[in-house]
Amino acid sequence: MLNNLTDTEEGDGGAQSQGDSIPKESSPFINSSDAAAEKSQQYDGKNMALFEEEMDTSPMVSSLLSSLANYSNLPQGSKEHEEAENNEAESSRKKPVKAPQLGTLMGVYLPCIQNIFGVILFLRMTWLVGIGGVVGTFVIVTMCCTTTMLTAISMSAIATNGVVPAGGSYYMISRSLGPEFGGAVGICFYLGTTFAGAMYILGAIELLLIYIAPQAAIFPLEGLEGPEAEAALLNNMRVYGTILLTSMATVVFVGVKYVNKLALVFLACVILSILAVYAGVIKTGIDAPDFPVCLLGNRTLVWKTFDVCSKTVETANGTVTTQLWRMFCDSPFLNATCDKYFTSNNVTRIQGIPGVASGILSENLFGTYYEKGDLIARTNMDSVEDQDDPLTNANRYVLADIASFFTLLVGIYFPSVTGIMAGSNRSGDLRDAQKSIPVGTIAAITTTSFVYMSSVVLFGACIDGVVLRDKFGEGVHGNLVIGTLAWPSPWVIVIGSFFSTCGAGLQSLTGAPRLMQAIAKDGIVPALRIFGHAKANGEPTWSLLLTACICEIGILIASLDLVAPILSMFFLMCYMFVNLACALQTLLRTPNWRPRFKFYHWALSFLGMSLCLTLMFLCSWYYAIVAMVIAGSIYKYIEFAGAEKEWGDGIRGLSLSAARYALMRLEEGPPHTKNWRPQLLTLVSTDAEQNVEQPRLLSLTNQLKAGKGLTIVGTALVGTFLENYEQSQRAEQALRKLMETEKVKGFCQVTVSSNLRDATSHLIQASGLGGLKHNAVLVSWPRNWRQGDEHQTWRNFVELVRETTAADLALLVPKNVAAFPSNGERFTEGHIDVWWIVHDGGMLMLLPFLLRQHKVWRKCKMRIFTVAQLDDNSIQMKKDLTTFLYHLRIDALVEVVEMHDSDISAYTYEKTLVMEQRSQMLKQIKMSKTEREREIQSITDSSRGSIRRKNPAAVTTQLSVSEEPPAGSKEEKPEEEVQLIHENTTPASPASPATPLSPAEGVQSPGAQVQMTWTEKCDGEAAKPPGAATPEGIKDLFNMKPEWENLNQSNVRRMHTALRLNEVIIKKSSEAKLVLLNMPGPPKNRTGDENYMEFLEVLTDGLNRVLLVRGGGREVITIYS
């Protein structure tokens, strides 16, 4: 059925796509190999000087039309293979491909007729009418023919939508529905075609062993009955089927030219056989043929071993018993003991073919279904029988060989309407495929549908019911039932059907390997690539071997009635997807969907698809499920391991339409808290070679996402877009490659701007589409930010923190990202510690839960620490937090850490002094001499003034501690130690409740993403001055270092908080696998940015893996269902 399939679907000379190295279809258009040849031609002329600089990429229309005229996407077909065999001496020279010459009649109509008419019409059609009745069988035929007609309409629309290479149905489906569907359905179509070959071979063997040469049986049936006879018949079918398959495969292997030369002979056999049947029907109206059937009571007898349909015969010597008597009695004498049923009932001889004018049609209108082993009896005749008596001499009667029911009949009949793809499979040989395929296919289906429908009525009107239900013609002397109707002789049908089934089998064994070769050469199923190899002349040797092996499976089943539903499944699935492809393209209204065939509609395609699906489950629901599982498995395999193809298919168009629809429906506002998940914008940096500098950042992204939600990986480049376009493309490819390595599902985006700050800002602002935008930013802590030449790096980072806060985005900053685990690592134990200092909407609770969904962190336990102060009830806090976590359905250990008030140590003052001195140095780097002096003086004046004017309470407190009892520390705490928790709740701040604040600085902007780095540990300075903890020591602090007096007291308090928190965190979480803690926001006044970086550095000092977290200003976790 598949004669000419494309050898090179990818097109060896085809264009390569820009940037993705995905092979495209060969084409004569822009950027193809033909168009590229025009580049060597220098433009000469003045009329089109305006376009002369673009002639290399945009050729003149005249060049394009010339390329189209000479363009041929047709591979070397079977005709060229024959020439290659016959002219091996000239094979070294390239022969031009002859222009295809086949018209509608020879190219489409007759091949479809040959493929549609087949073994079922000759071997099973009469039985179907007898079992299902004229009405039931007519319904089946109408339903199946309607399905194929609707499929043909859809196929005609697809086939006329542009040039169809010699790839047939596989080409149409794969290019319309994509490589996954194309491969799955293509393989199903291949399996259907292969099992069709097995069905045709079994039909030919059935004709040979039952009707032509029964004596040729290797396992004799004589004397056997019941299961033994059935087993012997099946074994004969297997032996002879294997022999015939081997000989047919040899013929195909030697050369397809022999198959093509015999095709017309086989077609002539089919047409002559059908004409003989119609001639026989006409003759029955004039003179009914003599085909008697012998009935005992109402039971049909097997007319093989007796000559006269009578118990006794009157002769000159008296009454003599017949051979029929001896079959049921123990002796030939009249007083013999006979079978009870034989004795009680008379023998009747009826006419098997009463004729079209006999009125037998009314008796055959409705069906009669049997169980296996039931007697084939005439329904309108009475018989005397005792229901309690066991059936004896069962092998003397015609019995039902299988259980019959309506759905079985559908499965057996449907293969007789397949073959509608024969014309489209020959599209490479057609003179005008876009005209011939629709006309020829629809005309062929109309013709065959008329023949089938008329056959149902005529068989029911001409042949008696018991003969129709006699599958193997045992009641009519072992004749083929349809043969008894034929004129002039039954042998016309027997011989004609034998050769036509052999021819159909050869066509299947010719077409199926070429279909497999086309799929293999497309490269969409890596496991099948070996079957793309062929002989020197292009014959698919390995595919033929595979086809023969699969065909042998069908032959080992050995029953035509069991093989037919199998191939029905595969063909129905193929036809279903042809209808789906047409409906999809029509509804999507893709610009390229412009079929020349106009008589189609999406509703017809959907009706055809629904009928195919219905017929699949009608035929056999378990076969349908198996076929779907096979197709689904192939689909997922191609999706997982197959080569990426871009064929402009309808599934891509459907994806675009579905995405647009979903985006339009997606609310612009934030999702409900229950649906909130981190939609990450991961910001990475690249080196000079456009390689990602922090690959572990993507590992963390994968672990946080667990493959869900939106992920955008972005990077920023400095420069102009025009000059850096290629660089941005390389960066994008590097991002894609790393995302694939780290198994991060998402999108990548590269932004080019005049400076890094603006480029990053553009990424934060413009990433995402509509309601599908990021809600969290992941960025690593800036490395080496303390170095003088890296000052812009940390400034950009702090601005990033401010921008994420302004945009209400959450911020995740892993510090020391190189120490984070890769996706291949596994923690067998350990803890994820959460330090919940201020409420951030629940981000700190949700992130560890998401991390523990990933196999890297799955075995880590979660611990939550929160900080209590002296005026807090730590026991009640622990109970409340435990209850809160219980309602959140989060398993975690809870610990409340009490941070007692303590004096600000000399170490804190020293750290603050070093920080401020460094800050002044950084500022002076960019100032002129006058500006430096002015800035130093203003800072000195403001510092002194702030101590005298603004901080008398703090100074007094610190200096008077020695005079007050320790119990007074509770009241002094707010001035001695201003912690983040206090700063966040200061009522003087006009900021949002989620924004950490400081009394001295006012509003602090929350949220920024940070990269991790190794920090210097001040181990040598960790010991506080000996007198710092004593009242005398505090009194003399400013005397020890007079410059401490000029320090900004707000910075001192912040440094004190950072040091105290760091001490507690290291004490509790030094062994934790990961520490998550609230990230304080930067100061509103930008002059303190470098101090802010130092505070964060001190806060996280000594910790291996830290994830600083800032909420986005909204709740992200809820206790409600």
Side-chain angles (χ1 to χ4, degrees), residues 563-578:
V563 172
I566 296 176
L567 65 103
S568 294
M569 290 302 111
F570 293 124
F571 278 121
L572 279 167
M573 184 167 290
C574 178
Y575 295 167
M576 181 174 71
F577 281 101
V578 169

mmCIF file with all atom_site columns, all heavy atoms in Angstrom, residues 563-578:
data_model
loop_
_atom_site.group_PDB
_atom_site.id
_atom_site.type_symbol
_atom_site.label_atom_id
_atom_site.label_alt_id
_atom_site.label_comp_id
_atom_site.label_asym_id
_atom_site.label_entity_id
_atom_site.label_seq_id
_atom_site.pdbx_PDB_ins_code
_atom_site.Cartn_x
_atom_site.Cartn_y
_atom_site.Cartn_z
_atom_site.occupancy
_atom_site.B_iso_or_equiv
_atom_site.pdbx_formal_charge
_atom_site.auth_seq_id
_atom_site.auth_comp_id
_atom_site.auth_asym_id
_atom_site.auth_atom_id
_atom_site.pdbx_PDB_model_num
ATOM 1   N N   . VAL A 1 563 ? -6.749  -11.612 13.731 1.00 0.00 ? 563 VAL A N   1
ATOM 2   C CA  . VAL A 1 563 ? -5.781  -10.631 13.233 1.00 0.00 ? 563 VAL A CA  1
ATOM 3   C C   . VAL A 1 563 ? -6.476  -9.364  12.747 1.00 0.00 ? 563 VAL A C   1
ATOM 4   O O   . VAL A 1 563 ? -5.970  -8.252  12.924 1.00 0.00 ? 563 VAL A O   1
ATOM 5   C CB  . VAL A 1 563 ? -4.922  -11.248 12.104 1.00 0.00 ? 563 VAL A CB  1
ATOM 6   C CG1 . VAL A 1 563 ? -4.046  -10.197 11.450 1.00 0.00 ? 563 VAL A CG1 1
ATOM 7   C CG2 . VAL A 1 563 ? -4.071  -12.382 12.650 1.00 0.00 ? 563 VAL A CG2 1
ATOM 8   N N   . ALA A 1 564 ? -7.670  -9.522  12.149 1.00 0.00 ? 564 ALA A N   1
ATOM 9   C CA  . ALA A 1 564 ? -8.367  -8.368  11.569 1.00 0.00 ? 564 ALA A CA  1
ATOM 10  C C   . ALA A 1 564 ? -8.607  -7.242  12.584 1.00 0.00 ? 564 ALA A C   1
ATOM 11  O O   . ALA A 1 564 ? -8.352  -6.069  12.271 1.00 0.00 ? 564 ALA A O   1
ATOM 12  C CB  . ALA A 1 564 ? -9.681  -8.823  10.939 1.00 0.00 ? 564 ALA A CB  1
ATOM 13  N N   . PRO A 1 565 ? -9.103  -7.521  13.813 1.00 0.00 ? 565 PRO A N   1
ATOM 14  C CA  . PRO A 1 565 ? -9.302  -6.413  14.758 1.00 0.00 ? 565 PRO A CA  1
ATOM 15  C C   . PRO A 1 565 ? -8.004  -5.711  15.146 1.00 0.00 ? 565 PRO A C   1
ATOM 16  O O   . PRO A 1 565 ? -8.032  -4.521  15.471 1.00 0.00 ? 565 PRO A O   1
ATOM 17  C CB  . PRO A 1 565 ? -9.950  -7.099  15.979 1.00 0.00 ? 565 PRO A CB  1
ATOM 18  C CG  . PRO A 1 565 ? -10.555 -8.351  15.447 1.00 0.00 ? 565 PRO A CG  1
ATOM 19  C CD  . PRO A 1 565 ? -9.647  -8.786  14.351 1.00 0.00 ? 565 PRO A CD  1
ATOM 20  N N   . ILE A 1 566 ? -6.881  -6.435  15.119 1.00 0.00 ? 566 ILE A N   1
ATOM 21  C CA  . ILE A 1 566 ? -5.608  -5.809  15.490 1.00 0.00 ? 566 ILE A CA  1
ATOM 22  C C   . ILE A 1 566 ? -5.251  -4.706  14.500 1.00 0.00 ? 566 ILE A C   1
ATOM 23  O O   . ILE A 1 566 ? -4.947  -3.573  14.873 1.00 0.00 ? 566 ILE A O   1
ATOM 24  C CB  . ILE A 1 566 ? -4.487  -6.874  15.560 1.00 0.00 ? 566 ILE A CB  1
ATOM 25  C CG1 . ILE A 1 566 ? -4.779  -7.886  16.665 1.00 0.00 ? 566 ILE A CG1 1
ATOM 26  C CG2 . ILE A 1 566 ? -3.138  -6.202  15.781 1.00 0.00 ? 566 ILE A CG2 1
ATOM 27  C CD1 . ILE A 1 566 ? -3.774  -9.021  16.743 1.00 0.00 ? 566 ILE A CD1 1
ATOM 28  N N   . LEU A 1 567 ? -5.305  -5.040  13.213 1.00 0.00 ? 567 LEU A N   1
ATOM 29  C CA  . LEU A 1 567 ? -4.931  -4.013  12.245 1.00 0.00 ? 567 LEU A CA  1
ATOM 30  C C   . LEU A 1 567 ? -6.016  -2.940  12.143 1.00 0.00 ? 567 LEU A C   1
ATOM 31  O O   . LEU A 1 567 ? -5.731  -1.795  11.789 1.00 0.00 ? 567 LEU A O   1
ATOM 32  C CB  . LEU A 1 567 ? -4.625  -4.630  10.885 1.00 0.00 ? 567 LEU A CB  1
ATOM 33  C CG  . LEU A 1 567 ? -5.751  -5.323  10.130 1.00 0.00 ? 567 LEU A CG  1
ATOM 34  C CD1 . LEU A 1 567 ? -6.235  -4.414  9.019  1.00 0.00 ? 567 LEU A CD1 1
ATOM 35  C CD2 . LEU A 1 567 ? -5.228  -6.615  9.523  1.00 0.00 ? 567 LEU A CD2 1
ATOM 36  N N   . SER A 1 568 ? -7.276  -3.301  12.499 1.00 0.00 ? 568 SER A N   1
ATOM 37  C CA  . SER A 1 568 ? -8.332  -2.282  12.545 1.00 0.00 ? 568 SER A CA  1
ATOM 38  C C   . SER A 1 568 ? -7.956  -1.187  13.537 1.00 0.00 ? 568 SER A C   1
ATOM 39  O O   . SER A 1 568 ? -8.160  0.006   13.277 1.00 0.00 ? 568 SER A O   1
ATOM 40  C CB  . SER A 1 568 ? -9.673  -2.914  12.945 1.00 0.00 ? 568 SER A CB  1
ATOM 41  O OG  . SER A 1 568 ? -10.131 -3.801  11.965 1.00 0.00 ? 568 SER A OG  1
ATOM 42  N N   . MET A 1 569 ? -7.408  -1.583  14.692 1.00 0.00 ? 569 MET A N   1
ATOM 43  C CA  . MET A 1 569 ? -7.019  -0.600  15.702 1.00 0.00 ? 569 MET A CA  1
ATOM 44  C C   . MET A 1 569 ? -6.003  0.393   15.148 1.00 0.00 ? 569 MET A C   1
ATOM 45  O O   . MET A 1 569 ? -6.161  1.613   15.283 1.00 0.00 ? 569 MET A O   1
ATOM 46  C CB  . MET A 1 569 ? -6.382  -1.309  16.916 1.00 0.00 ? 569 MET A CB  1
ATOM 47  C CG  . MET A 1 569 ? -7.303  -2.115  17.753 1.00 0.00 ? 569 MET A CG  1
ATOM 48  S SD  . MET A 1 569 ? -8.648  -1.160  18.418 1.00 0.00 ? 569 MET A SD  1
ATOM 49  C CE  . MET A 1 569 ? -9.971  -1.880  17.484 1.00 0.00 ? 569 MET A CE  1
ATOM 50  N N   . PHE A 1 570 ? -4.975  -0.136  14.526 1.00 0.00 ? 570 PHE A N   1
ATOM 51  C CA  . PHE A 1 570 ? -3.890  0.732   14.074 1.00 0.00 ? 570 PHE A CA  1
ATOM 52  C C   . PHE A 1 570 ? -4.351  1.642   12.936 1.00 0.00 ? 570 PHE A C   1
ATOM 53  O O   . PHE A 1 570 ? -3.999  2.829   12.902 1.00 0.00 ? 570 PHE A O   1
ATOM 54  C CB  . PHE A 1 570 ? -2.694  -0.115  13.643 1.00 0.00 ? 570 PHE A CB  1
ATOM 55  C CG  . PHE A 1 570 ? -2.046  -0.844  14.785 1.00 0.00 ? 570 PHE A CG  1
ATOM 56  C CD1 . PHE A 1 570 ? -1.885  -2.221  14.769 1.00 0.00 ? 570 PHE A CD1 1
ATOM 57  C CD2 . PHE A 1 570 ? -1.586  -0.155  15.892 1.00 0.00 ? 570 PHE A CD2 1
ATOM 58  C CE1 . PHE A 1 570 ? -1.286  -2.890  15.830 1.00 0.00 ? 570 PHE A CE1 1
ATOM 59  C CE2 . PHE A 1 570 ? -0.987  -0.804  16.955 1.00 0.00 ? 570 PHE A CE2 1
ATOM 60  C CZ  . PHE A 1 570 ? -0.844  -2.175  16.926 1.00 0.00 ? 570 PHE A CZ  1
ATOM 61  N N   . PHE A 1 571 ? -5.145  1.116   12.015 1.00 0.00 ? 571 PHE A N   1
ATOM 62  C CA  . PHE A 1 571 ? -5.639  1.959   10.932 1.00 0.00 ? 571 PHE A CA  1
ATOM 63  C C   . PHE A 1 571 ? -6.602  3.022   11.466 1.00 0.00 ? 571 PHE A C   1
ATOM 64  O O   . PHE A 1 571 ? -6.558  4.180   11.040 1.00 0.00 ? 571 PHE A O   1
ATOM 65  C CB  . PHE A 1 571 ? -6.336  1.113   9.871  1.00 0.00 ? 571 PHE A CB  1
ATOM 66  C CG  . PHE A 1 571 ? -5.387  0.478   8.898  1.00 0.00 ? 571 PHE A CG  1
ATOM 67  C CD1 . PHE A 1 571 ? -5.331  -0.895  8.734  1.00 0.00 ? 571 PHE A CD1 1
ATOM 68  C CD2 . PHE A 1 571 ? -4.530  1.260   8.140  1.00 0.00 ? 571 PHE A CD2 1
ATOM 69  C CE1 . PHE A 1 571 ? -4.458  -1.483  7.842  1.00 0.00 ? 571 PHE A CE1 1
ATOM 70  C CE2 . PHE A 1 571 ? -3.638  0.685   7.240  1.00 0.00 ? 571 PHE A CE2 1
ATOM 71  C CZ  . PHE A 1 571 ? -3.604  -0.685  7.096  1.00 0.00 ? 571 PHE A CZ  1
ATOM 72  N N   . LEU A 1 572 ? -7.472  2.628   12.392 1.00 0.00 ? 572 LEU A N   1
ATOM 73  C CA  . LEU A 1 572 ? -8.416  3.599   12.951 1.00 0.00 ? 572 LEU A CA  1
ATOM 74  C C   . LEU A 1 572 ? -7.695  4.716   13.685 1.00 0.00 ? 572 LEU A C   1
ATOM 75  O O   . LEU A 1 572 ? -8.086  5.885   13.611 1.00 0.00 ? 572 LEU A O   1
ATOM 76  C CB  . LEU A 1 572 ? -9.395  2.883   13.891 1.00 0.00 ? 572 LEU A CB  1
ATOM 77  C CG  . LEU A 1 572 ? -10.561 2.164   13.211 1.00 0.00 ? 572 LEU A CG  1
ATOM 78  C CD1 . LEU A 1 572 ? -11.261 1.230   14.195 1.00 0.00 ? 572 LEU A CD1 1
ATOM 79  C CD2 . LEU A 1 572 ? -11.552 3.177   12.653 1.00 0.00 ? 572 LEU A CD2 1
ATOM 80  N N   . MET A 1 573 ? -6.615  4.360   14.381 1.00 0.00 ? 573 MET A N   1
ATOM 81  C CA  . MET A 1 573 ? -5.855  5.399   15.074 1.00 0.00 ? 573 MET A CA  1
ATOM 82  C C   . MET A 1 573 ? -5.213  6.347   14.067 1.00 0.00 ? 573 MET A C   1
ATOM 83  O O   . MET A 1 573 ? -5.207  7.575   14.261 1.00 0.00 ? 573 MET A O   1
ATOM 84  C CB  . MET A 1 573 ? -4.791  4.757   15.965 1.00 0.00 ? 573 MET A CB  1
ATOM 85  C CG  . MET A 1 573 ? -4.021  5.756   16.802 1.00 0.00 ? 573 MET A CG  1
ATOM 86  S SD  . MET A 1 573 ? -3.064  4.961   18.085 1.00 0.00 ? 573 MET A SD  1
ATOM 87  C CE  . MET A 1 573 ? -4.352  4.401   19.165 1.00 0.00 ? 573 MET A CE  1
ATOM 88  N N   . CYS A 1 574 ? -4.697  5.802   12.996 1.00 0.00 ? 574 CYS A N   1
ATOM 89  C CA  . CYS A 1 574 ? -4.103  6.642   11.962 1.00 0.00 ? 574 CYS A CA  1
ATOM 90  C C   . CYS A 1 574 ? -5.149  7.579   11.361 1.00 0.00 ? 574 CYS A C   1
ATOM 91  O O   . CYS A 1 574 ? -4.921  8.782   11.232 1.00 0.00 ? 574 CYS A O   1
ATOM 92  C CB  . CYS A 1 574 ? -3.484  5.762   10.881 1.00 0.00 ? 574 CYS A CB  1
ATOM 93  S SG  . CYS A 1 574 ? -2.767  6.674   9.513  1.00 0.00 ? 574 CYS A SG  1
ATOM 94  N N   . TYR A 1 575 ? -6.313  7.032   11.019 1.00 0.00 ? 575 TYR A N   1
ATOM 95  C CA  . TYR A 1 575 ? -7.364  7.849   10.416 1.00 0.00 ? 575 TYR A CA  1
ATOM 96  C C   . TYR A 1 575 ? -7.871  8.898   11.407 1.00 0.00 ? 575 TYR A C   1
ATOM 97  O O   . TYR A 1 575 ? -8.212  10.021  11.019 1.00 0.00 ? 575 TYR A O   1
ATOM 98  C CB  . TYR A 1 575 ? -8.536  6.962   9.969  1.00 0.00 ? 575 TYR A CB  1
ATOM 99  C CG  . TYR A 1 575 ? -8.188  6.000   8.854  1.00 0.00 ? 575 TYR A CG  1
ATOM 100 C CD1 . TYR A 1 575 ? -9.031  4.961   8.506  1.00 0.00 ? 575 TYR A CD1 1
ATOM 101 C CD2 . TYR A 1 575 ? -6.998  6.123   8.141  1.00 0.00 ? 575 TYR A CD2 1
ATOM 102 C CE1 . TYR A 1 575 ? -8.711  4.069   7.489  1.00 0.00 ? 575 TYR A CE1 1
ATOM 103 C CE2 . TYR A 1 575 ? -6.672  5.240   7.128  1.00 0.00 ? 575 TYR A CE2 1
ATOM 104 C CZ  . TYR A 1 575 ? -7.533  4.214   6.810  1.00 0.00 ? 575 TYR A CZ  1
ATOM 105 O OH  . TYR A 1 575 ? -7.206  3.349   5.811  1.00 0.00 ? 575 TYR A OH  1
ATOM 106 N N   . MET A 1 576 ? -7.908  8.529   12.677 1.00 0.00 ? 576 MET A N   1
ATOM 107 C CA  . MET A 1 576 ? -8.365  9.477   13.689 1.00 0.00 ? 576 MET A CA  1
ATOM 108 C C   . MET A 1 576 ? -7.456  10.708  13.725 1.00 0.00 ? 576 MET A C   1
ATOM 109 O O   . MET A 1 576 ? -7.924  11.848  13.810 1.00 0.00 ? 576 MET A O   1
ATOM 110 C CB  . MET A 1 576 ? -8.399  8.804   15.068 1.00 0.00 ? 576 MET A CB  1
ATOM 111 C CG  . MET A 1 576 ? -8.878  9.709   16.191 1.00 0.00 ? 576 MET A CG  1
ATOM 112 S SD  . MET A 1 576 ? -9.057  8.845   17.763 1.00 0.00 ? 576 MET A SD  1
ATOM 113 C CE  . MET A 1 576 ? -7.341  8.561   18.197 1.00 0.00 ? 576 MET A CE  1
ATOM 114 N N   . PHE A 1 577 ? -6.161  10.467  13.624 1.00 0.00 ? 577 PHE A N   1
ATOM 115 C CA  . PHE A 1 577 ? -5.237  11.597  13.691 1.00 0.00 ? 577 PHE A CA  1
ATOM 116 C C   . PHE A 1 577 ? -5.185  12.388  12.396 1.00 0.00 ? 577 PHE A C   1
ATOM 117 O O   . PHE A 1 577 ? -4.846  13.571  12.411 1.00 0.00 ? 577 PHE A O   1
ATOM 118 C CB  . PHE A 1 577 ? -3.850  11.115  14.106 1.00 0.00 ? 577 PHE A CB  1
ATOM 119 C CG  . PHE A 1 577 ? -3.732  10.872  15.577 1.00 0.00 ? 577 PHE A CG  1
ATOM 120 C CD1 . PHE A 1 577 ? -3.793  9.591   16.097 1.00 0.00 ? 577 PHE A CD1 1
ATOM 121 C CD2 . PHE A 1 577 ? -3.596  11.930  16.453 1.00 0.00 ? 577 PHE A CD2 1
ATOM 122 C CE1 . PHE A 1 577 ? -3.716  9.370   17.450 1.00 0.00 ? 577 PHE A CE1 1
ATOM 123 C CE2 . PHE A 1 577 ? -3.507  11.721  17.819 1.00 0.00 ? 577 PHE A CE2 1
ATOM 124 C CZ  . PHE A 1 577 ? -3.568  10.439  18.313 1.00 0.00 ? 577 PHE A CZ  1
ATOM 125 N N   . VAL A 1 578 ? -5.516  11.767  11.268 1.00 0.00 ? 578 VAL A N   1
ATOM 126 C CA  . VAL A 1 578 ? -5.658  12.545  10.035 1.00 0.00 ? 578 VAL A CA  1
ATOM 127 C C   . VAL A 1 578 ? -6.803  13.538  10.189 1.00 0.00 ? 578 VAL A C   1
ATOM 128 O O   . VAL A 1 578 ? -6.686  14.726  9.844  1.00 0.00 ? 578 VAL A O   1
ATOM 129 C CB  . VAL A 1 578 ? -5.904  11.608  8.830  1.00 0.00 ? 578 VAL A CB  1
ATOM 130 C CG1 . VAL A 1 578 ? -6.308  12.420  7.607  1.00 0.00 ? 578 VAL A CG1 1
ATOM 131 C CG2 . VAL A 1 578 ? -4.655  10.808  8.516  1.00 0.00 ? 578 VAL A CG2 1
#
